[in-house]
């Protein structure tokens, strides 16, 4: 197993550079070409997330919750802790930078998923595989991307989420990790065999509750230590550019912050567009706005809350071996509020990561349907997903995180290249939305109004 770990680490050492370079350059390009859409239209995002749906369709808010179910998970508690231990407090600053830039990328990819979505079996489907085929005419590349997403999210990321749950439960209650993994696998099986509507309903109920509970506790901790807030910001920003990080590596903090930030908010990875495509909206820009807000919510709000809790103590500097990931978050919060924090974090991470497993599965299912329709393939995929949950519950934390980093780099780079090639259509769609808003209209999209747009058949009759 050590040999496998070394091989994965070597690959990760190469792909991480391509990942960071791609995220920053593409994100900045989209930010400038869209006239800073993530800042200029930030208030509009809150209006878009509350848009009503037709009966029987997935609403903008439910699509937001499906994506949040995948986003909000291990990265917010375990990933942030790993970022701090590996890259120092300055890694959090780079998480913020990647998130702000990534809001533009997340906007564009989700909007494109809406433009090129299609209806299958009474439900909307879409995502990068679909817009790669329809806009670029390269089905083979769409199949490659679909396979990457199905493996990355259904298998690799879900094994990581299961790993985080079992570690947290072992730390809090001393529960056997294999037993917990089997219970999780059975529960996941019950839900994923119920289909997308059961996923959206489940996520729409659980995600808001768990997010509010976790943020509420952390907000209480931060407010109780309000006098330390200026110090926390100074520590994070100073560590990102300070002399200490210059010697051990500002770039190391940037790499770790970018990787953990991407795993957290998924902006540009090509996963969230699969959820964005399911929503019933009158204009693709609306779902782009909703998912851009999701990036902000996940990283700037939830990840920052976890980082503040960890940095309010010195445990991250003195913790011994084994106090890493979610265990560090548990230990830090416990020192601030008492021993009850350990089981609280375990329960919170259970819901965060469990809904992430459900959301990740849906991304895999959507892309499996793109590659090949068929009940048999779907059932086999579901069984494999359940099996990987059990595997992840026992695997070493370093192995599952390294695998996640490698696979997400591949999916992200392929998706970012596609976005760049289709960016002309993206900016035309944004202009169409803005033009209608300026006329006081509730924007309604018609494919014929976008020069050069083809294969957007879902919108032909709008």
């Amino acid at each position: 197993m050590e040999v496998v770990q070394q091989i994965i680490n070597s690959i990760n050492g190469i792909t991480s550079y391509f990942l960071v370079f791609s995220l920053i350059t593409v994100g900045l390009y989209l930010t400038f070409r869209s006239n800073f859409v993530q800042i200029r239209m930030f208030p509009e995002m809150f209006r878009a997330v509350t848009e009503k749906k037709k009966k029987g369709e997935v609403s903008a808010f439910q699509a937001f919750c499906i994506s949040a179910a995948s986003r909000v998970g291990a990265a917010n508690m375990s990933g942030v802790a790993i970022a701090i231990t590996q890259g120092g407090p300055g890694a959090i600053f780079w998480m913020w930078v990647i998130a702000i830039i990534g809001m533009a990328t997340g906007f564009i990819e989700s909007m494109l998923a809406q433009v090129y979505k299609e209806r299958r079996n009474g439900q909307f489907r879409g995502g990068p595989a679909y817009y790669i085929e329809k806009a670029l005419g390269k089905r083979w590349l769409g199949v490659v991307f679909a396979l990457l997403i199905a493996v990355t999210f259904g298998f690799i990321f879900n094994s990581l989420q299961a790993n985080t749950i079992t570690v947290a439960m072992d730390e809090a209650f001393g529960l056997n990790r294999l037993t917990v993994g089997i219970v999780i696998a059975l529960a996941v099986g019950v839900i994923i065999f119920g289909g997308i509507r059961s996923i959206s309903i489940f996520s729409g109920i659980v995600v808001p509750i768990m997010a509010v509970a976790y943020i509420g506790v952390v907000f209480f901790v931060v407010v109780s230590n309000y006098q330390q807030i200026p110090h926390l910001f100074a520590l994070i920003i100073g560590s990102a550019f300070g002399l200490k990080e210059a010697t051990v590596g500002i770039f190391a903090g940037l790499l770790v912050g970018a990787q953990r930030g991407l795993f957290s908010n998924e902006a540009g990875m090509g996963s969230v567009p699969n959820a964005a495509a399911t929503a019933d909206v009158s204009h693709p820009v609306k779902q782009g706005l909703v998912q851009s807000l999701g990036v902000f919510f996940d990283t700037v709000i939830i990840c920052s809350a976890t980082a503040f809790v960890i940095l309010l103590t010195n445990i991250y500097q003195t913790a011994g071996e084994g106090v890493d990931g979610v265990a560090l978050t548990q230990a830090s919060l416990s020192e601030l509020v008492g021993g009850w924090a350990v089981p609280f974090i375990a329960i919170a991470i259970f819901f965060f990561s469990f809904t992430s497993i459900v959301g990740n599965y849906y991304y895999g299912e959507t892309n499996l349907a793109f590659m090949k329709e068929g009940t048999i393939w779907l059932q086999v995929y579901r069984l494999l997903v359940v099996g990987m949950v059990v595997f992840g519950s026992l695997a070493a934390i370093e192995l599952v995180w390294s695998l996640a980093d490698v696979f997400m780099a591949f999916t992200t780079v392929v998706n970012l290249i596609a976005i760049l090639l289709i960016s002309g259509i993206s900016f035309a769609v944004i202009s169409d939305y803005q033009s209608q808003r300026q006329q006081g209209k509730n924007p309604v999209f018609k494919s014929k109004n976008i020069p050069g747009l083809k294969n957007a058949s879902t919108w032909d009759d709008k």
Side-chain angles (χ1 to χ4, degrees), residues 432-443:
D432 176 71
Y433 180 88
Q434 292 174 323
S435 176
Q436 294 187 54
R437 287 289 293 158
Q438 290 170 358
Q439 297 173 36
K441 299 178 180 179
N442 177 28

Side-chain angles (χ1 to χ4, degrees), residues 50-206:
T50 58
E51 178 166 296
K52 295 181 179 180
K53 67 181 180 74
K54 297 185 183 75
K55 185 176 180 180
E57 301 287 3
V58 175
S59 69
F61 178 71
Q62 286 176 322
F64 173 84
C65 287
I66 293 173
S67 63
S70 176
R71 281 187 177 121
V72 181
N76 300 91
M77 296 184 185
S78 181
V80 171
I82 291 173
I84 292 174
T85 55
Q86 293 183 352
I92 303 304
F93 174 82
W94 297 116
M95 288 183 71
W96 292 340
V97 171
I98 293 298
I100 297 301
I101 296 175
M103 287 176 69
T105 310
F107 175 94
I108 297 296
E109 65 178 353
S110 294
M111 181 185 69
L112 286 173
Q114 274 285 325
V115 171
Y116 293 101
K117 70 182 179 182
E118 60 184 54
R119 186 179 287 277
R120 291 190 181 185
N121 301 320
Q123 301 170 358
F124 288 124
R125 297 272 191 178
Y130 293 79
Y131 56 67
I132 287 173
E133 178 185 31
K134 294 187 175 186
L136 301 179
K138 300 184 183 300
R139 177 170 174 78
W140 68 268
L141 185 57
V143 170
V144 168
F145 182 86
L147 181 61
L148 282 172
I149 284 287
V151 172
T152 301
F153 281 82
F155 301 157
I156 307 301
F157 283 7
N158 276 350
S159 66
L160 188 152
Q161 299 290 353
N163 181 275
T164 303
I165 293 175
T166 57
V167 169
M169 289 297 178
D170 182 31
E171 185 77 17
F173 307 111
L175 297 177
N176 180 272
R177 290 177 61 181
L178 177 58
T179 302
V180 175
I182 292 173
V183 171
I184 296 169
L186 292 174
V188 168
V190 170
I191 292 176
I192 66 177
F193 278 88
I196 176 57
R197 285 195 172 85
S198 72
I199 295 173
S200 64
I201 293 171
F202 177 81
S203 301
I205 295 172
V206 174

Side-chain angles (χ1 to χ4, degrees), residues 257-272:
Q259 286 178 316
R260 298 288 74 80
L262 176 61
F263 183 75
S264 174
N265 60 54
E266 302 179 22
M269 198 186 301
S271 52
V272 172

